[in-house]
Structures are given as C-alpha cells and as structure tokens.
Amino acid sequence: MKYSVRTWMKYLLRGILWGCTFFVFFCLFAYYLQGKEFLFSILEAYPRHAAGSVLVGIGYGSTPIVYGWERPSLFAKVGIHFFVGTGTFFAVAHRLSWIPMQSNGYLIWELLVACVTFAVMWSVFYLFSRKEAGSINERLREIEKVQIEQ
C-alpha cells in the first residue's frame, strides 16, 4: 500500500503528540511522588528531555503505519511496532540517563515494564479499533438492508 505525505505526517504528528502527552503526565506523576526536586532535575536539561520524549513518541506512535501494510502477518507487524518503539525508547533512555544502565536487574525490570505497557496499550487500541469496525460494519448492513427494501 502506498501512503501519501499527508498520511505519513498524520502518523508522525500523532507520535509527537503521544510523546509530549506522556512526558507531561510522567512529570506530573513524578512530581506528586517525589516533589519539586524531581522537576528541578528535569528543568536543568528540559530541551533534551522534551526532545527525547518526542523521539520516543515518534518511535512508538508513528510505527503503527505498518498495520496498513498488506504483506507481513499481524504478528510481524506487532513485532516491528514493538522493536522500533522499544529500541527508540532504550536508545533515548540510555543517552539521557533515564534508566540507570549500571544495574542489569533494573534494566531487565525496565524491559519487562516496557513489554507489559506495550501489550496493555496495544490491546486497548486493538479492542477499540475492533469495536469501531464492528459498529461500522453494522451500520453498513443497515444501509444495505434499507437499499434492498427500496
């Protein structure tokens, strides 16, 4: 399937939106848990952290474009989405010291959290899309039924 520039931009901007949104919610959550000191550490390098969040958002939020491809299986598409997003996250997290890399246990814990978070979010979006598709199909059946009756 060929995509227009508009489609690519939609996915890119959606990824940026998700990255910025998660950055804000993470900062709010951490502020309530750790207080102002956490925000001071973020503000010291705010442009780097904000740009990192945007990159992670692009990594996770723009790769769902693969679900429009015809060739690979759903399993392969999910794998591409996961590995691109998670690879982007860990590269940025390493560069910006979001994850202490000196501890293998903590790194494994972060990988497990990333897997579970991805699985939960992917499932929510999948179920939502499936419900929407069912609603659209039901509406199409109703329209078809009305047209047959006429």
Side-chain angles (χ1 to χ4, degrees), residues 6-147:
R6 183 177 180 191
T7 302
W8 282 102
M9 288 303 294
K10 180 178 89 172
Y11 277 93
L12 179 71
L13 292 174
R14 186 179 294 158
I16 292 170
L17 172 73
W18 277 106
C20 292
T21 301
F22 275 101
F23 180 61
V24 168
F25 283 120
F26 176 78
C27 288
L28 287 172
F29 181 72
Y31 170 77
Y32 286 115
L33 289 179
Q34 298 180 7
K36 289 185 223 176
E37 293 75 29
F38 174 80
L39 289 182
F40 291 145
S41 67
I42 293 289
L43 289 175
E44 286 178 16
Y46 178 78
R48 289 180 45 191
H49 292 295
S53 297
V54 166
L55 287 175
V56 171
I58 290 170
Y60 275 117
S62 63
T63 52
I65 201 165
V66 302
Y67 298 110
W69 297 350
E70 295 176 17
R71 284 275 178 170
S73 66
L74 178 61
F75 183 75
K77 293 173 188 177
V78 172
I80 291 167
H81 184 190
F82 175 77
F83 286 112
V84 169
T86 304
T88 303
F89 170 75
F90 277 99
V92 170
H94 175 67
R95 179 79 169 109
L96 296 178
S97 301
W98 289 350
I99 301 173
M101 295 294 182
Q102 66 272 13
S103 167
N104 286 339
Y106 195 75
L107 186 61
I108 291 169
W109 170 252
E110 284 294 325
L111 185 57
L112 288 172
V113 168
C115 290
V116 169
T117 303
F118 179 86
V120 168
M121 291 186 69
W122 187 89
S123 298
V124 167
F125 279 99
Y126 175 79
L127 293 172
F128 174 78
S129 297
R130 189 172 168 180
K131 183 180 177 193
E132 285 294 306
S135 298
I136 291 168
N137 286 336
E138 182 62 32
R139 181 70 180 130
L140 288 173
R141 280 189 220 98
E142 290 172 8
I143 292 170
E144 185 178 291
K145 185 178 177 181
V146 168
Q147 287 178 345

